Amino acid sequence: MGQTESRGAGWGQAPPVVAAKAVKLDLDLERGKMGKLIGPGGKTIQGIQQRVLGVQLRTPNKDETGNGDYKFVPVTIIGRSDEAFKAAFLVNDVSPVCLAVLTAQMKPADTPLLLSSERIVNLQKEVNVDTLRLPKKHDKLPKVVIEGFLEDVVKAYTLMSGEFERAAQEAHHERESSKLKALSQARMGGEGEADG
């Protein structure tokens, strides 16, 4: 299920995201690369946090890494998607990310709109991610989970966000058109009664 190597460091710039929503991004790094990410006296990780102020960036302490029992250790980034992706690519530039797992909470009312888009439902065919979990219609706390290479996770989320925004705009336009049509029909019907 999980990827074991990163493709291409040098991703310091995240692609634009249509809907910058709050996300949680867990990045798995090789245990041996954590020291490079932290840097001497914590300077490297602090530099990343200073460059991307809008995120929480959490690295595990020694007790949480299993004292050498695990090959990979998690780094967690929480914030708006655009800022979280920027921070993730900065982390990746220093210490290649082996696996990225994005979790995005949704409003329950948005679930039907998300699931009505065939492109979103079939996104895994379009973007090579290991896991794509969409919410169920009746989830009380709906969320989207995307797992895979960092750049693929970002691409999938960006496409999903854009498609969701497009579908939301279409739904809004349809509602407004229906209101205008109903108003127009009411006015026309009212004018006809006044003439007769």
Side-chain angles (χ1 to χ4, degrees):
M1 172 157 62
Q3 304 287 353
T4 56
E5 62 183 58
S6 178
R7 290 187 287 171
W11 276 74
Q13 295 295 320
V17 177
V18 174
K21 308 280 185 189
V23 299
K24 176 183 172 199
L25 193 56
D26 292 308
L27 309 174
D28 282 352
L29 308 178
E30 286 185 39
R31 167 185 293 292
K33 308 273 182 168
M34 277 302 291
K36 187 176 180 185
L37 176 63
I38 302 299
K43 295 250 188 253
T44 305
I45 195 79
Q46 289 171 6
I48 292 172
Q49 288 179 314
Q50 289 171 356
R51 286 180 67 185
V52 190
L53 296 174
V55 298
Q56 296 174 25
L57 199 149
R58 185 178 177 283
T59 57
N61 62 39
K62 289 182 183 181
D63 294 336
E64 294 172 317
T65 61
N67 295 321
D69 296 340
Y70 305 111
K71 182 177 179 180
F72 301 102
V73 292
V75 172
T76 301
I77 301 171
I78 299 173
R80 281 187 11 213
S81 58
D82 55 342
E83 295 294 324
F85 296 151
K86 181 178 179 182
F89 287 122
L90 290 170
V91 167
N92 190 57
D93 285 346
V94 174
S95 181
V97 173
C98 300
L99 178 71
V101 181
L102 177 137
T103 305
Q105 295 290 342
M106 297 180 53
K107 295 176 190 171
D110 288 342
T111 301
L113 185 61
L114 180 84
L115 297 176
S116 70
S117 168
E118 280 189 48
R119 187 171 186 199
I120 291 174
V121 172
N122 294 314
L123 188 64
Q124 205 164 3
K125 294 175 185 172
E126 191 171 333
V127 181
N128 186 25
V129 292
D130 292 343
T131 303
L132 173 63
R133 269 186 260 138
L134 299 174
K136 305 285 187 271
K137 283 185 182 180
H138 302 292
D139 286 352
K140 291 182 181 177
L141 297 171
K143 62 184 174 184
V144 171
V145 178
I146 307 170
E147 180 178 317
F149 285 122
L150 176 59
E151 54 270 23
D152 292 333
V153 168
V154 170
K155 182 178 179 183
Y157 185 77
T158 302
L159 287 171
M160 182 180 293
S161 295
E163 185 65 19
F164 181 79
E165 286 294 317
R166 186 196 60 71
Q169 287 173 356
E170 279 182 10
H172 176 75
H173 179 70
E174 286 177 23
R175 283 191 305 272
E176 291 301 312
S177 290
S178 293
K179 286 179 188 177
L180 287 173
K181 186 175 180 182
L183 184 60
S184 177
Q185 287 175 346
R187 285 184 179 163
M188 290 179 75
E191 288 175 12
E193 291 176 15
D195 292 338

